[in-house]
Amino acid sequence: MDLLAALEAEGLVPDDAACVLLVGSRARGWQHARSDLDVIIVTTSPMATVIDERQLIASDEELVGSRQTTVDGVRCEVKYHAEAQFHALVAKVSWSEWDAGRAVGSITASERLIVERLPHAVALRGAEWLDAVVGDLRSSSAFSCLTVSALGYADRQLEDVSGLWASGDLCGAILASQRAFVHVTDALTASCGHPGTDTKWRLRRVEAAGSDALGADEFWRLSTMRDFDIDHPERWLDHMTHRCAQIMLDVRIGR
Amino acid sequence: MTAEKVAPAELENLVARPYVHVRIRNLSGTIVIAVDETTAELVDTAEDIWRALAPGRTVRQVAGVVADLYGEEVETVLPDVIEWVGDMYEAGFLALQKPEGPVGA
């Protein structure tokens, strides 16, 4: 399928598009039998002037519009971003903003998705533009910001584990430890340049991260609770929380 | 909240277990841990000792792991390991348990 040609034929690619990107699972080669096509189109002028409102563009956030279509029978979501939004994102996660303590809390949900998706995007048009922006993101605190966010979630789950365990609620503690491990894993992969929170791709991200702190085999073993002994649940908790703590030691943030 | 001092002779045969709710950050290669408002930077051998803490491993066994890292005898590093673990216990970063005792948060 020629995705770019299909989008152009439908009039979905504005003349001023700086970049047309295939992102998400299909860009990474992780797609399954029912995966969508996810496309980001970067425009150089404000959305209102390039997208006809009659095309039912749904705007869920300033400067972001989207359009659903079908390409060769596959559902395709096209998201439109203004180029200025990327420059604003890079500025928000500069190291000077990080040093000032402002970077971590400044990223919106849409920007988080950009940081997750752009490094692995495939440029259908505008490869140089993509390289430049990805280079800016990689040399910024963007990944550290997502890492810190995941660590914060892990902290809260581990706090719950501690309280539940001390109160004798082992079942609750085990469930919370599973969530803690998820967030610790997300923190680790983000710190290695593979951020994301989608459950179904977590094993893929661990594989891609290639960290010595947590290999794919151990991730799968812990995720599927293979060593859980129903007669000694506290042993599982002890091991799981120990591994979370050990992995966190290697989740590097900062420059 | 701080804990009471434990005699070194008793401490070496106990398991030092970091509390589950200890917050851990690797800031550009420097490990910082925190419990409530108390923080500590794990510099040099402190990081090695912390990393060597493991379920069921006594302080003496931790000293053995650290000694192996530096090519030293256990008895050489044991006093320093005991002192540091004692300090971390008193600061509220870890619990001390008997090896055969029940595990807990």
Side-chain angles (χ1 to χ4, degrees), chain A residues 229-247:
Chain A
D229 181 348
I230 197 163
D231 294 325
H232 299 284
E234 71 284 356
R235 289 181 189 165
W236 165 261
L237 263 180
D238 210 23
H239 180 62
M240 187 60 138
T241 53
H242 172 66
R243 287 302 296 136
C244 284
Q246 290 282 308
I247 295 164

Side-chain angles (χ1 to χ4, degrees), chain A residues 155 162 238 241 249-250 253, chain B residues 17 21 25-26 28 51 53:
Chain A
D155 285 344
S162 187
D238 210 23
T241 53
L249 289 170
D250 293 315
I253 52 179
Chain B
R17 189 186 187 292
H21 55 272
R25 296 291 184 270
N26 180 332
S28 304
R51 284 181 181 273
L53 302 177

Side-chain angles (χ1 to χ4, degrees), chain A residues 171-188:
Chain A
C171 294
I174 287 168
L175 293 173
S177 74
Q178 291 295 96
R179 293 302 304 162
F181 179 63
V182 159
H183 295 307
V184 168
T185 302
D186 288 348
L188 179 68

Side-chain angles (χ1 to χ4, degrees), chain B:
Chain B
M1 188 171 65
T2 57
E4 290 182 9
K5 223 171 180 60
V6 177
E10 184 186 349
L11 200 149
E12 71 173 83
N13 294 313
L14 297 177
V15 172
R17 189 186 187 292
Y19 285 113
V20 172
H21 55 272
V22 172
R23 300 188 299 280
I24 300 166
R25 296 291 184 270
N26 180 332
L27 305 173
S28 304
T30 300
I31 306 296
V32 177
I33 59 175
V35 168
D36 299 325
E37 301 303 313
T38 307
T39 62
E41 199 171 297
L42 304 186
V43 294
D44 303 327
T45 52
E47 181 182 336
D48 297 323
I49 299 170
W50 185 267
R51 284 181 181 273
L53 302 177
R57 186 178 283 169
T58 65
V59 173
R60 171 171 277 278
Q61 289 168 330
V62 169
V65 173
V66 175
D68 286 346
L69 283 175
Y70 290 91
E72 299 279 0
E73 294 298 319
V74 174
E75 300 304 330
T76 305
V77 303
L78 184 59
D80 287 341
V81 172
I82 287 175
E83 183 182 359
W84 188 83
V85 168
D87 289 345
M88 300 307 281
Y89 168 69
E90 288 171 35
F93 287 107
L94 51 81
L96 294 171
Q97 302 164 336
K98 292 180 179 174
E100 70 279 11
V103 296

Side-chain angles (χ1 to χ4, degrees), chain A residues 204-224:
Chain A
R204 301 267 198 176
R205 289 195 300 275
V206 169
E207 288 172 336
S211 171
D212 292 337
L214 177 66
D217 288 345
E218 188 188 10
F219 168 78
W220 192 242
R221 192 171 193 90
L222 290 171
S223 295
T224 55

